[in-house]
Amino acid sequence: MKPARIARRWRALRNSLLALACATVITITGQPVGGVAEAAPAPPKLKPGKRCDEMYGVKNVPTGGLPQGDASRAVDRWDTYDYTNPGLQFDGLNPTRAELDAAGTDYKKYDHSDPRRIYARFNAQRRWTSFRDYLSKVYIPNQGYDARGKAFMAKVVREMGLTGPDWICEKEFNFVDPDTGERHVRRLDAYNKRSREIVEVKSNGSPDGREKPADRAWAKHQGWRSYKYTYVFAENQTRDAKNFMKELKDTAGKDALGRDRVRTYDYQSHHKGVPPKGTENGPYRANSTTMSPGNGASTGSRGSGNQVINQSPPNPRTLKEQLDRLGRTGERALMNRGLGGIDFTTLDLRYIGKGKGGKGLDYAFSAKSVEDEYAAGWGGQEKGDLISDAFFTWLALDPSTFWVNLNPDEPNRIIDAGFGRTDAGRVLLEADLELKHDIFKAMDPETEAGRAFMNALPQRNGFPCWAGFRYWIEPETAVVREQDGGIHILDTPLKLSTVPQETTTQPPGGKGCDLTEAETQQSDRVLDRYITPLVAEKVNNGDYYADLRRVYTARVAAEWVRQNAADMPAEYRGIINSNDVSRWPLRDPHRNWTGKQVWDRYYKAFTEGTFKYKWSNGEEVYVYTVGGVDFSRQPKSNMNPVRFRTEQRYKPRTVGYAVDTIADDPNKEGYLMFGGNSAGQSENGTPGPTPTGTASPTATPSPTATGKPTPTPSDPGPTASQSPAATTPPGPKDPDGGLADTGSSTPVGLIVGIAAVAIGAGGALVWWRRRRTHTGG
């Protein structure tokens, strides 16, 4: 046989053996075979994307430029954008157990407009046991997430100028991790080959955890060294976002000019989900009782405030369970900041005014934003209910009933019967009792302030002496601004006042020191110098008194409604002085609370002793108090237009946004505003214009009555038929657009309805008594 022929046969045999070997390897590794080896499947084809301006319908917008480093959009340009969330048409669904069971689990057989589709989806899942939680925290956010992201992306394309043939959106790439060789398919929001830029747009403040491995791979790969990567966030970056951005910056390093290759742009644009057109007032839309009387045209309120308050779990344990549940499924990024992003212990009412649509009243709350989702975010419903209930309590009851009185001599005059059936009354009386405990603590001679206090008092045989005294809380000068048919409540500080006073009921240990008038006044001054500032700080900023501050701010809002009753909706006018609080009773867990329970706790402490302070010579000092809360005077500084435009420039705009969405407050860093409309109207109008024109002089409040209340408790004040609020016309309008100045001994404007009885009936008595703990030799 010729050598050439032998060589050809040998090559054929060799190729056959190689083919057999390959087939064997493929079979062993589990690839499908049918007697003949099959080729490995080709990797999925990457999507080429499309011009951004064409994809999002952006026309006649010139190509813009991206910031060269980390940047934030100017506050003047903060705004909102709308997107349609089909799930919002069902935000009031409340099925019975029978309706849920009848729907089964096959949701695909129901049309998207059929609520049974949602019932079936709920039945098919196992993570959520409460339909309400599933609806508000999973179904509705999921339904709007895609539309929300696309709406914000279109806004960014248009306003940042990601236009022209070089900007491509939704283009896919393979990012290969050089350390592991792992390949990640990454769809880029926007990509520009010519300028070598990548833009990732987030309609919230957090990166998507599923995309992090691909972005890490990009940052490490040398093949992408010439590209820059910009993250655009619509909301304040979460802690996770800040940490991840730092990680990417450190990994990607600098460009040739020494600038970070990874940059962030805080765009600050607030999203506003709206239901599909034609379903705004459909049969399934939910209204809330927050700030709504629930009668007449105001059959229920609606807005961003209602949504975040209703989403808030009742306690930390439930919040953690829900956040963990959402985190396991990647759904947490879909949520509004209301779940874990708001500290509801700081919730307060900061605006109320006429609705932009002419119906109901608009309102806006303020609360602190938090980065640690697990640290706050519960209790929103409780705090919102307290504010709303207190607001209507202040409207409904005659002002002569707004008093509380803890006095050991008066067990039958603790709180008005009607007021005592409300949470507003409960909060005032409980704060009264807490005030005494805080005075006790501040006087402790083991503390620096307490020892200084004791040393500065009059002395008897080496022991400090002071007179019994009355201590009460009253408003400090508040700052408000009335304009455009509403009132901005900007600051509502509280202060403490004292006056010497004695009681018939004696604490243990017998009568204390007999002081001269000069020594009595000296002890009062010493108290104001060393103790009052410490307790006042707690009243204004302490956690326990937060509810007191909440109900007081609601009092300011309610009195503005009283003062402007003629311009208010009829359903509000009908509540004023009706003396009917049946719709706003004590809520759980305080439904069985009574003022006598508080008085009993106080009396026990007064007659048996609570705190014992040991003085250096071995004798014990007893301190006992009774006290009160006095909202009868409300001195106010009405901010003039120039100051308001300077210090609160963006407040009207923020309030306008807050009716429909959660808005960052640029006038108070770290705080959010959110609210609604009491008639279930969520209008899309723009906020009222910032005031213009020549500034008027700053309004000067009328002088507050000087001197301290008399030691003897006063008469409970006018009866319902004598109420000044029912007959006194509203005070004159401030020429600058604010409220009438107040603070005089004859309350007008906002203070007209707060009874003077609180001055006399409240207050605090502090006694000291001592007894020997050892006998001398």
Side-chain angles (χ1 to χ4, degrees):
M1 185 177 293
K2 293 182 179 181
R5 184 176 296 176
I6 295 173
R8 286 197 299 271
R9 289 184 176 180
W10 170 247
R11 284 196 296 271
L13 177 61
R14 182 190 60 187
N15 291 341
S16 298
L17 292 172
L18 286 173
L20 178 61
C22 290
T24 303
V25 170
I26 292 173
T27 303
I28 292 173
T29 55
Q31 295 296 328
V33 295
V36 179
E38 295 183 3
K45 187 176 181 180
L46 299 176
K47 295 183 178 180
K50 186 177 181 180
R51 279 181 52 159
C52 295
D53 48 11
E54 293 178 355
M55 179 174 288
Y56 293 102
V58 176
K59 298 179 180 180
N60 302 320
V61 174
T63 300
L66 296 175
Q68 293 302 307
D70 291 346
S72 297
R73 198 159 67 130
V75 177
D76 286 333
R77 298 185 61 198
W78 290 11
D79 57 7
T80 65
Y81 64 95
D82 295 356
Y83 67 96
T84 299
N85 182 345
L88 284 174
Q89 65 184 301
F90 299 108
D91 65 353
L93 281 182
N94 186 25
T96 64
R97 183 71 256 176
E99 288 175 322
L100 286 173
D101 292 342
T105 59
D106 184 9
Y107 65 89
K108 293 182 179 179
K109 69 181 182 179
Y110 301 112
D111 184 78
H112 287 275
S113 62
D114 191 333
R116 290 177 297 177
R117 184 181 178 93
I118 307 174
Y119 304 161
R121 294 192 69 144
F122 170 73
N123 293 336
Q125 57 84 44
R126 291 290 181 268
R127 294 188 305 274
W128 298 84
T129 58
S130 165
F131 179 82
R132 177 183 175 182
D133 286 339
Y134 170 79
L135 182 70
S136 64
K137 298 177 174 69
V138 180
Y139 182 81
I140 292 178
N142 274 337
Q143 292 295 301
Y145 182 61
D146 187 57
R148 170 179 155 188
K150 288 181 177 178
F152 183 60
M153 183 67 196
K155 179 180 176 63
V156 170
V157 169
R158 181 175 58 256
E159 296 180 1
M160 293 181 65
L162 307 185
T163 59
D166 295 317
W167 278 107
I168 307 299
C169 283
E170 303 285 327
K171 182 175 176 62
E172 291 184 341
F173 287 90
N174 279 317
F175 288 167
V176 180
D177 191 317
D179 295 337
T180 65
E182 189 174 358
R183 183 182 302 268
H184 304 276
V185 176
R186 182 69 159 92
R187 183 179 302 177
L188 301 180
D189 285 340
Y191 163 82
N192 192 315
K193 183 177 181 180
R194 186 183 61 80
S195 63
R196 297 187 175 273
E197 292 178 288
I198 298 171
V199 177
E200 179 68 15
V201 178
K202 296 298 180 188
S203 62
N204 52 22
S206 178
D208 190 329
R210 296 167 296 185
E211 297 170 343
K212 288 182 178 180
D215 289 350
R216 290 188 177 105
W218 171 89
K220 289 190 264 184
H221 204 290
Q222 291 299 311
W224 290 93
R225 286 290 303 170
S226 60
Y227 279 79
K228 297 181 286 291
Y229 203 141
T230 301
Y231 260 83
V232 179
F233 294 103
E235 298 174 355
N236 291 330
Q237 295 179 44
T238 63
R239 180 177 301 175
D240 175 62
K242 293 175 182 178
N243 291 339
F244 185 61
M245 291 300 99
K246 182 179 185 304
E247 176 191 342
L248 283 189
K249 287 181 182 182
D250 292 343
T251 304
K254 311 283 185 179
D255 63 15
L257 298 177
R259 300 174 299 197
D260 286 326
R261 292 176 57 222
V262 174
R263 306 167 297 184
T264 60
Y265 192 7
D266 295 328
Y267 214 66
Q268 289 295 347
S269 191
H270 310 105
H271 65 88
K272 183 169 63 176
V274 297
K277 189 174 181 179
T279 68
E280 296 89 349
N281 296 297
Y284 308 119
R285 294 302 307 280
N287 285 342
S288 167
T289 59
T290 304
M291 301 305 294
S292 179
N295 63 349
S298 294
T299 54
S301 56
R302 185 180 299 162
S304 62
N306 303 54
Q307 293 171 9
V308 298
I309 286 172
N310 292 339
Q311 284 180 354
S312 172
N315 53 59
R317 178 182 58 79
T318 306
L319 175 69
K320 183 179 185 306
E321 290 174 354
Q322 294 184 356
L323 288 175
D324 287 348
R325 202 173 294 143
L326 290 168
R328 286 198 299 269
T329 60
E331 293 168 338
R332 194 184 308 174
L334 313 185
M335 291 301 303
N336 292 333
R337 287 177 284 184
L339 189 63
I342 296 176
D343 181 1
F344 286 104
T345 65
T346 64
L347 187 71
D348 215 342
L349 181 64
R350 289 301 175 187
Y351 175 84
I352 193 163
K354 299 175 185 176
K356 294 189 289 289
K359 295 183 179 180
L361 294 177
D362 286 344
Y363 56 90
F365 298 107
S366 173
K368 190 175 183 180
S369 175
V370 292
E371 290 186 348
D372 185 353
E373 296 172 309
Y374 290 89
W378 62 86
Q381 186 73 63
E382 176 189 352
K383 304 306 181 188
D385 286 343
L386 176 62
I387 293 171
S388 182
D389 289 357
F391 172 80
F392 288 110
T393 295
W394 300 126
L395 283 181
L397 292 181
D398 188 275
S400 65
T401 65
F402 300 153
W403 56 269
V404 296
N405 178 44
L406 284 182
N407 189 314
D409 295 342
E410 297 183 315
N412 297 320
R413 200 163 73 96
I414 303 166
I415 189 170
D416 173 79
F419 195 38
R421 291 193 293 269
T422 70
D423 278 311
R426 174 185 61 81
V427 167
L428 262 64
L429 195 61
E430 292 284 1
D432 184 6
L433 183 59
E434 183 68 14
L435 177 66
K436 305 165 185 40
H437 293 295
D438 286 331
I439 296 169
F440 295 151
K441 297 170 188 174
M443 288 178 172
D444 187 348
E446 294 298 319
T447 66
E448 181 179 350
R451 179 161 289 276
F453 166 72
M454 295 290 186
N455 284 328
L457 288 167
Q459 301 285 316
R460 289 291 188 274
N461 299 321
F463 293 99
C465 291
W466 68 89
F469 62 87
R470 180 166 162 259
Y471 223 125
W472 71 97
I473 303 170
E474 64 182 5
E476 184 61 273
T477 302
V479 181
V480 300
R481 176 68 190 172
E482 182 190 31
Q483 68 174 45
D484 301 327
I487 181 173
H488 298 271
I489 306 169
L490 304 172
D491 192 19
T492 53
L494 299 170
K495 67 178 181 180
L496 302 183
S497 295
T498 65
V499 67
Q501 184 172 321
E502 302 289 338
T503 60
T504 302
T505 303
Q506 293 291 305
K511 186 171 177 57
C513 299
D514 289 324
L515 299 180
T516 66
E517 178 61 26
E519 288 175 322
T520 296
Q521 295 302 321
Q522 175 190 350
S523 69
D524 195 35
R525 290 192 300 271
V526 170
L527 186 75
D528 282 345
R529 178 180 179 184
Y530 291 104
I531 304 304
T532 298
L534 298 179
V535 183
E537 170 65 21
K538 286 190 174 184
V539 169
N540 280 288
N541 299 297
D543 293 342
Y544 186 88
Y545 296 95
D547 281 348
L548 178 68
R549 298 191 293 270
R550 266 186 276 275
V551 300
Y552 172 55
T553 308
R555 181 73 187 92
V556 175
E559 201 56 43
W560 179 82
V561 172
R562 276 182 181 271
Q563 179 179 337
N564 294 275
D567 295 329
M568 295 295 105
E571 55 269 25
Y572 287 87
R573 294 198 304 270
I575 294 172
I576 297 174
N577 289 344
S578 65
N579 289 317
D580 180 6
V581 290
S582 58
R583 279 178 284 169
W584 308 285
L586 288 158
R587 293 180 183 260
D588 288 332
H590 309 291
R591 207 170 286 273
N592 296 319
W593 179 93
T594 65
K596 184 62 164 56
Q597 296 168 354
V598 181
W599 188 90
D600 288 343
R601 299 201 319 260
Y602 157 69
Y603 189 79
K604 179 178 175 64
F606 187 84
T607 56
E608 298 179 11
T610 302
F611 288 79
K612 298 180 181 181
Y613 302 139
K614 290 186 177 180
W615 200 244
S616 58
N617 64 358
E619 297 210 10
E620 295 180 349
V621 178
Y622 286 72
V623 181
Y624 308 92
T625 66
V626 295
V629 180
D630 171 16
F631 287 168
S632 63
R633 289 184 172 85
Q634 191 186 0
K636 247 183 345 297
S637 173
N638 299 299
M639 192 176 283
N640 70 16
V642 173
R643 182 183 169 196
F644 188 70
R645 287 199 300 269
T646 301
E647 298 181 9
Q648 303 289 335
R649 176 181 178 185
Y650 303 105
K651 192 69 73 177
R653 183 190 69 180
T654 305
V655 165
Y657 294 161
V659 173
D660 297 306
T661 188
I662 306 173
D664 292 286
D665 186 353
N667 293 116
K668 192 171 184 180
E669 185 177 357
Y671 276 74
L672 304 170
M673 295 195 77
F674 41 90
N677 178 273
S678 67
Q681 303 295 315
S682 185
E683 302 296 334
N684 294 328
T686 56
T690 302
T692 57
T694 305
S696 303
T698 303
T700 304
S702 305
T704 304
T706 57
K708 296 180 177 180
T710 56
T712 304
S714 67
D715 184 72
T719 63
S721 61
Q722 299 170 321
S723 169
T727 57
T728 305
K733 291 294 182 69
D734 182 86
D736 293 330
L739 296 171
D741 297 329
T742 61
S744 67
S745 58
T746 304
V748 295
L750 287 186
I751 65 163
V752 68
I754 307 180
V757 63
I759 300 175
L765 302 179
V766 175
W767 292 84
W768 71 273
R769 294 292 180 267
R770 65 175 183 253
R771 68 183 181 193
R772 270 181 209 285
T773 56
H774 67 277
T775 56

